[in-house]
Amino acid sequence: MKVGVVGAGVMGTGVAQCFATSGHEVVVVDPDPAALASGPSRVRDGVRQRALLGGARVDPAEVGARLRWTAGLAELAGCGFVVECAPERVSVKRELFAALGGVCGAEAVLASCTSAIPVAVLAAVTAVPERVLATHFMNPAPLKDAVEVVRGAGTSEVALARAVEVLASLGKKAVVVGDAPGFVTNRVLMLTINEAVKVVAEGTAGAATVDEVFESCFAHPMGPLRTADLIGLDTVRDTLLVLRDLLPDPACEPSPLLTEMVEAGRLGRKTGQGFHTWRR
Ligand SMILES: NC(=O)c1ccc[n+]([C@@H]2O[C@H](COP(=O)([O-])OP(=O)(O)OC[C@H]3O[C@@H](n4cnc5c(N)ncnc54)[C@H](O)[C@@H]3O)[C@@H](O)[C@H]2O)c1
C-alpha cells in the first residue's frame, strides 16, 4: 500500500521507518529542506539501531528505497493511509487536515500522531470526518510495540478496523481509547512531567535525582525528565498548551523553567542538551 507521512521530525521519521520496513511504499512530506535532507540518514540509523536492539535485520538500503521525501503535499495522491506528524499546534494540524481530504485517495484513512489534540478538532475541518482518527505512536516508534488509537465520535467502524489492520501489518498492537484532550497517555504523562520540572525549579532535587527516584524507587524504565528530553521539550511545552487551552486546567500551564529551556534551544535529545546531556 502507498502510505503518506506528513512531517519528517522525530515521529515522522520513526513512523516512516516502521512502514517502509514492513514493505509499504512511503511518501514523506515536510516543508523544511533540512528535515528532508537529513531524513534518509536518520532512517538508516534507526534501522541499524533496531537491529542492534534485537529487531529484524533488514537492509537499510532496501528500506530507504521505499521512501520518497518531498515538500509537495500533492504527492500524497493515491495514498490509502496517511499519518500526520506535524508540530503539536492546532492551527497547523487543522490546515493540514483541511487539505488532506482533497489530496489523498477516496478511501484513505487520515490519522494524526497528535499527542493531545482531540480527533473531533481535526475531523471538524474535513469533508470526510468518518475517516479521521488518531494513531498516537510512542517514541521511538520503531521500538515500541503498541499504539494508542483514538476513535472520534464520528470515526467509522471501517476506518477504525483499517487502522488496527494497518498497525498489525507493522507488528503493532492498537490500544483503542475514546476522544478527549491528551487521550489516556498524555492526560497523565504531561502533567507528571510538568510537576517534575516544577520540583527541579523549586530546588527539591536536581533532574538526575528526580529521574532516579522514578527509575530506582518505582522501577520505571525511564524517569519523567529523561522521557521529556526524549520527546523534545518543545513538543512537551506545545502539548501542555493544548491541554491548558482545551481542558482548561491551570496545572497544565507549562512551568516557567520548561519555557526558558525551550527558548534557549535546550530541547532535549534532538539538540543534545535538555535536562540531561545526550550524545548526538
Ligand atoms: N516526540 C514525541 O515523543 C512524540 C510522541 C508521540 C506523538 N508526538 C506528536 O507527533 C507530532 C510530531 O512531533 P515530533 O516530535 O516529530 O515533532 P518535530 O518537531 O520533531 O517534527 C515536526 C516536523 O514537522 C514539520 N512540519 C512543520 N510544519 C509542517 C507542515 N505544515 N506540514 C508538514 N510538516 C510540517 C517540521 O519541519 C518538522 O520536521 C506532534 O503532534 C507530537 O505531539 C510526539
Side-chain angles (χ1 to χ4, degrees), residues 136-138 141 143-148 167 171-175:
H136 179 214
F137 286 78
M138 304 295 125
L143 303 182
K144 300 291 183 169
D145 294 336
V147 175
E148 185 181 37
L167 290 170
K172 303 215 184 285
K173 177 183 178 187
V175 181

Side-chain angles (χ1 to χ4, degrees), residues 194-234:
N194 206 27
E195 291 304 315
V197 178
K198 290 178 198 168
V199 164
V200 172
E202 288 159 9
T204 312
T209 306
V210 169
D211 280 337
E212 197 191 348
V213 167
F214 280 81
E215 291 159 10
S216 298
C217 303
F218 287 157
H220 287 189
M222 204 183 276
L225 298 172
R226 218 179 297 285
T227 304
D229 272 3
L230 184 69
I231 293 169
L233 300 188
D234 50 346

Side-chain angles (χ1 to χ4, degrees), residues 57-157:
R57 290 201 166 274
V58 286
D59 179 1
E62 222 172 87
V63 173
R66 295 195 194 103
L67 289 155
R68 196 144 50 83
W69 305 84
T70 174
L73 207 63
E75 294 200 37
L76 297 176
C79 285
F81 200 89
V82 174
V83 185
E84 170 276 315
C85 302
E88 188 72 7
R89 309 252 168 79
V90 170
S91 58
V92 173
K93 291 192 190 288
R94 277 169 69 94
E95 199 177 308
L96 282 168
F97 272 81
L100 284 175
V103 170
C104 303
E107 303 297 315
V109 171
L110 310 179
S112 176
C113 188
T114 175
S115 293
I117 300 169
V119 168
V121 170
L122 305 176
V125 296
T126 72
V128 289
E130 70 282 1
R131 288 199 261 121
V132 178
L133 46 75
T135 48
H136 179 214
F137 286 78
M138 304 295 125
N139 179 18
L143 303 182
K144 300 291 183 169
D145 294 336
V147 175
E148 185 181 37
V149 173
V150 185
R151 179 185 192 168
T155 307
S156 71
E157 290 291 347

